[in-house]
Every structure is written in structure tokens, then in C-alpha cells.
């Protein structure tokens, strides 16, 4: 029980971090998911007072993993995510190498855990080395090395790819729901006030798109 109750408490300011879920009903079909739409995070941050940071995170959804290539070595990797550039500023995962403010800022950037980096580069310094990722063959530069997530984290990762690498590949509208949205609020801001504002955002942005799409 102690272990279960310890999850995610290693994050600085954890009591002000929330994940936004989706609850809805379309044609009688109820929807409950931890996912949400691509524009939600930045819209909440810009339109709702008291939200200090927002973050979008998406797992690479291949059951067989996604191919990482370096020279002749090709390995299918699991627990790979796309993320906004503030991943290592929003969460308290520790970087061994790299600057939290810019490791995921540029397109074609990837941060690896130390164990994954060692598989491809041995004892060489991996910073600046190139991994070719996925069937799209993204040549990604290694910009940071991270410690693994603690066991009591609600998600674990082997690699984080910058969102800027794949931004053009994803539907930018409000009716998609393939991203996980996290917010960090000001300690003085009540979550009830954020929820009330969130309902307004849904009515304005999602409502408009649903009306246009379904008539």
C-alpha cells in the first residue's frame, strides 16, 4: 500500500500537476479516456488563468516497437514517446547529460536513457551522435541522456523524441484524442476554477468543430 500511494510523488510540486481526461458521449456511445486533443494544452495555458505550464505527451503506438538504427545495428525499442520541449522542466526526471531547457527544442532531437544509449554507442559519449528512427527514417541527434523513471512513476520511457520532429504528421484539430495533456497550476488557483474554464473551452472550440463535422 505504501508503494502504491507513493506514485509520482518524486515530481517537484506534484500536488499541482494534473492530467486532463476526456469524458463524452457521441451517438449514445460513452467515451472515457486519459487522452485529449493536440491543441488543448497550449489553449488551456493561454486562456485559463493560473495554469503555469502545459505539456503534450504521446506514446509511439507500435506493439512491435519502433526501429532504432545506428550503423549496422537495428533494434526495436519500446516505451518511446513524443513530447513538447519542456518535458524535463515540467517533470522531475533527471538528466545525466543535456540542458533541460533545450534538449527537446529542435526537430530531430532525441533523449535516451543511459541503458539505451549504451546499447548503440557503448562507452562513447552519445551526445551529438545520430540515430535513425522508425520507418520514416528520422535522423535524430542525441541531445540528452536521462536516468530511468523511478519504479513508482505512472509511465516509463526509454527515449523521448521532440514533438517538433513529428508535428506535421498529426491532426491538429480538436476532435482528435491521441495525446496526453498535463498541466501545472499555480498553488493558489483552485482546480474547480480551471474545470469551469475548461468547459468554456470545450463549448467554444470542440463544439464548433463537432458542429461543422457532423452538421
Amino acid at each position: 500500500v505504501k508503494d502504491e500511494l507513493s506514485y509520482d510523488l518524486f515530481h517537484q510540486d506534484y500536488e499541482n500537476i494534473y492530467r486532463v481526461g476526456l469524458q463524452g458521449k457521441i451517438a449514445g456511445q460513452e467515451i472515457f479516456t486519459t487522452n485529449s486533443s493536440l491543441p488543448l494544452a497550449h489553449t488551456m495555458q493561454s486562456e485559463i488563468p493560473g495554469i503555469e505550464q502545459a505539456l503534450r505527451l504521446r506514446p509511439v503506438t507500435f506493439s512491435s516497437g519502433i526501429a532504432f538504427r545506428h550503423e549496422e545495428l537495428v533494434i526495436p525499442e519500446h516505451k518511446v514517446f513524443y513530447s513538447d520541449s519542456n518535458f524535463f522542466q515540467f517533470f522531475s526526471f533527471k538528466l545525466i547529460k543535456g540542458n533541460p531547457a533545450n534538449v527537446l527544442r529542435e526537430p530531430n532531437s532525441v533523449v535516451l536513457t543511459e541503458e539505451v544509449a549504451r546499447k548503440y554507442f557503448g562507452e562513447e559519449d552519445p551526445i551529438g551522435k545520430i540515430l535513425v528512427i522508425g520507418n520514416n527514417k528520422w535522423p535524430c541527434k542525441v541531445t540528452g541522456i536521462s536516468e530511468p523513471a523511478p519504479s513508482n512513476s505512472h509511465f516509463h520511457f526509454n527515449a523521448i523524441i521532440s514533438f517538433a520532429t513529428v508535428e506535421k504528421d498529426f491532426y491538429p484539430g480538436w476532435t482528435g484524442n491521441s495525446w496526453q495533456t498535463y498541466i501545472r497550476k499555480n498553488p493558489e488557483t483552485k482546480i474547480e476554477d480551471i474545470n469551469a474554464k475548461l468547459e468554456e473551452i470545450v463549448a467554444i472550440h470542440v463544439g464548433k468543430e463537432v458542429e461543422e463535422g457532423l452538421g
Side-chain angles (χ1 to χ4, degrees), residues 110-128:
V110 62
V111 175
L112 309 175
T113 61
E114 192 172 26
E115 179 181 359
V116 170
R118 192 174 291 115
K119 281 196 291 187
Y120 298 96
F121 307 111
E123 298 305 317
E124 295 180 29
D125 184 356
I127 300 298

Side-chain angles (χ1 to χ4, degrees), residues 93-98 112-115 127 144-148:
F93 300 117
K94 296 179 180 178
L95 281 177
I96 299 170
K97 292 186 176 182
L112 309 175
T113 61
E114 192 172 26
E115 179 181 359
I127 300 298
I145 302 298
S146 171
E147 291 185 1

Side-chain angles (χ1 to χ4, degrees), residues 22-65:
L22 173 64
Q23 176 182 345
K25 182 185 290 185
I26 297 180
Q29 179 66 45
E30 290 191 337
I31 302 168
F32 296 93
T33 177
T34 61
N35 290 350
S36 53
S37 59
L38 185 62
L40 179 62
H42 288 179
T43 303
M44 288 183 70
Q45 186 171 2
S46 63
E47 296 186 9
I48 300 180
I51 293 182
E52 296 180 341
Q53 280 198 72
L55 172 82
R56 296 169 296 189
L57 187 67
R58 187 184 194 276
V60 176
T61 52
F62 298 106
S63 59
S64 58

Side-chain angles (χ1 to χ4, degrees), residues 100-114:
N102 58 33
V103 285
L104 295 171
R105 181 176 295 171
E106 300 296 329
N108 298 86
S109 300
V110 62
V111 175
L112 309 175
T113 61
E114 192 172 26

Side-chain angles (χ1 to χ4, degrees), residues 3-207:
D3 177 68
E4 292 290 313
L5 295 176
S6 73
Y7 267 67
D8 299 317
L9 301 189
F10 58 87
H11 292 300
Q12 183 178 352
D13 201 25
Y14 67 84
E15 58 274 291
N16 291 306
I17 296 175
Y18 291 80
R19 182 175 61 190
V20 185
L22 173 64
Q23 176 182 345
K25 182 185 290 185
I26 297 180
Q29 179 66 45
E30 290 191 337
I31 302 168
F32 296 93
T33 177
T34 61
N35 290 350
S36 53
S37 59
L38 185 62
L40 179 62
H42 288 179
T43 303
M44 288 183 70
Q45 186 171 2
S46 63
E47 296 186 9
I48 300 180
I51 293 182
E52 296 180 341
Q53 280 198 72
L55 172 82
R56 296 169 296 189
L57 187 67
R58 187 184 194 276
V60 176
T61 52
F62 298 106
S63 59
S64 58
I66 184 169
F68 277 42
R69 299 174 173 87
H70 177 63
E71 298 177 347
E72 302 303 315
L73 186 62
V74 181
I75 300 175
E77 295 289 350
H78 296 81
K79 300 177 183 176
V80 179
F81 291 81
Y82 309 123
S83 175
D84 278 320
S85 62
N86 60 331
F87 180 85
F88 289 99
Q89 295 172 298
F90 190 98
F91 295 118
S92 298
F93 300 117
K94 296 179 180 178
L95 281 177
I96 299 170
K97 292 186 176 182
N99 185 334
N102 58 33
V103 285
L104 295 171
R105 181 176 295 171
E106 300 296 329
N108 298 86
S109 300
V110 62
V111 175
L112 309 175
T113 61
E114 192 172 26
E115 179 181 359
V116 170
R118 192 174 291 115
K119 281 196 291 187
Y120 298 96
F121 307 111
E123 298 305 317
E124 295 180 29
D125 184 356
I127 300 298
K129 299 289 179 61
I130 300 296
L131 280 173
V132 180
I133 299 175
N135 294 329
N136 291 332
K137 296 185 177 180
W138 303 311
C140 287
K141 181 169 66 174
V142 179
T143 53
I145 302 298
S146 171
E147 291 185 1
S151 61
N152 57 347
S153 170
H154 78 279
F155 69 92
H156 297 83
F157 60 90
N158 289 322
I160 305 291
I161 301 170
S162 66
F163 171 70
T165 306
V166 296
E167 182 172 7
K168 64 182 182 298
D169 298 328
F170 287 97
Y171 174 62
W174 284 91
T175 51
N177 64 335
S178 60
W179 293 81
Q180 294 187 346
T181 299
Y182 295 84
I183 61 165
R184 183 195 299 270
K185 71 175 184 66
N186 185 296
E188 304 302 318
T189 302
K190 295 180 179 179
I191 195 66
E192 292 81 8
D193 294 338
I194 291 176
N195 280 331
K197 289 289 185 180
L198 181 55
E199 289 187 11
E200 295 177 12
I201 286 176
V202 170
I204 294 170
H205 297 286
V206 184

